[in-house]
Amino acid sequence: MHEGGNGEDRRVESGGAPSGGVPDGGMDQPEFLDLERELTVLFRRARAKQGEMAREVHPDLESAAYGLLVRLGESGRQRATELAAYIGVGKATMSRQLRALEDLGLVAREPDPADGRAWLVHLTEEGRGRVAKVREARRGRYVEQLSHWDRDEVAELARLLNQLNRGMEK
């Protein structure tokens, strides 16, 4: 049994293909239709939550900037061009977002010692503390929402999502 994104329960039959391949490109296969629907629901909810988390970091923070703060928290100092490439935006958009984050006191820039023409961006202590608090609260919500799951299932979900994310980078 599988719960659909719209709350309906429906049975999903899996039609296998020889050698793990996808017959007919997978376009009419129920498992790929189910995947597309569930990812759409997940992404829609994630976008909504990202806006909430951004406002928890700072009431004036744009939703899109939250991911930028998380990236800086995980990766440390980076050039704006690296951040733009990772997030998938242009240099002008990244410059605008970084200026807004600087104005809020969440990030700071410093000259890149390896290249005097470039700047490195990093979280300020204030930014690091605010992002850590929001991420900790989010993990707490995951623990609560998935408390009825077996820990091996949670680990398997994380592994499969990682595999999906790596595949999408190609």
Side-chain angles (χ1 to χ4, degrees):
M1 199 54 84
H2 172 77
E3 183 179 334
N6 59 5
E8 298 175 8
D9 286 341
R10 29 183 254 117
R11 182 157 304 278
V12 176
E13 300 295 331
S14 179
S19 304
V22 180
D24 301 325
M27 294 302 291
D28 294 329
Q29 299 299 309
E31 56 272 10
F32 287 95
L33 293 170
D34 289 342
L35 176 64
E36 188 273 335
R37 181 187 59 254
E38 296 302 329
L39 284 175
T40 298
V41 171
L42 179 66
F43 293 154
R44 185 183 71 235
R45 288 181 178 156
R47 277 191 301 273
K49 287 291 182 192
Q50 182 170 324
E52 291 174 20
M53 290 182 293
R55 286 184 295 281
E56 288 176 31
V57 170
H58 192 284
D60 298 330
L61 185 64
E62 289 183 27
S63 176
Y66 178 77
L68 179 59
L69 293 174
V70 169
R71 176 65 177 180
L72 284 170
E74 292 176 344
S75 301
R77 290 169 165 73
Q78 287 194 309
R79 290 184 181 185
T81 52
E82 294 170 324
L83 290 168
Y86 178 80
I87 301 291
V89 298
K91 287 171 40 175
T93 299
M94 181 56 57
S95 292
R96 182 185 60 76
Q97 287 183 341
L98 290 174
R99 269 194 307 280
L101 291 171
E102 280 183 293
D103 291 346
L104 295 174
L106 302 174
V107 302
R109 299 181 204 217
E110 63 186 42
D112 184 345
D115 181 352
R117 302 166 296 170
W119 294 85
L120 294 175
V121 181
H122 62 90
L123 290 177
T124 61
E125 285 300 318
E126 177 75 12
R128 190 174 358 276
R130 287 178 179 243
V131 170
K133 181 179 175 183
V134 171
R135 292 189 78 191
E136 185 176 318
R138 180 176 59 176
R139 280 190 305 276
R141 287 190 294 270
Y142 290 155
V143 168
E144 182 180 320
Q145 291 168 344
L146 300 176
S147 64
H148 63 284
W149 285 36
D150 182 273
R151 289 182 69 167
D152 290 338
E153 291 175 319
V154 175
E156 180 66 1
L157 176 60
R159 185 191 70 75
L160 290 170
L161 288 172
N162 179 267
Q163 184 177 333
L164 176 65
N165 285 327
R166 283 194 326 255
M168 290 180 157
E169 289 176 354
K170 296 177 183 176

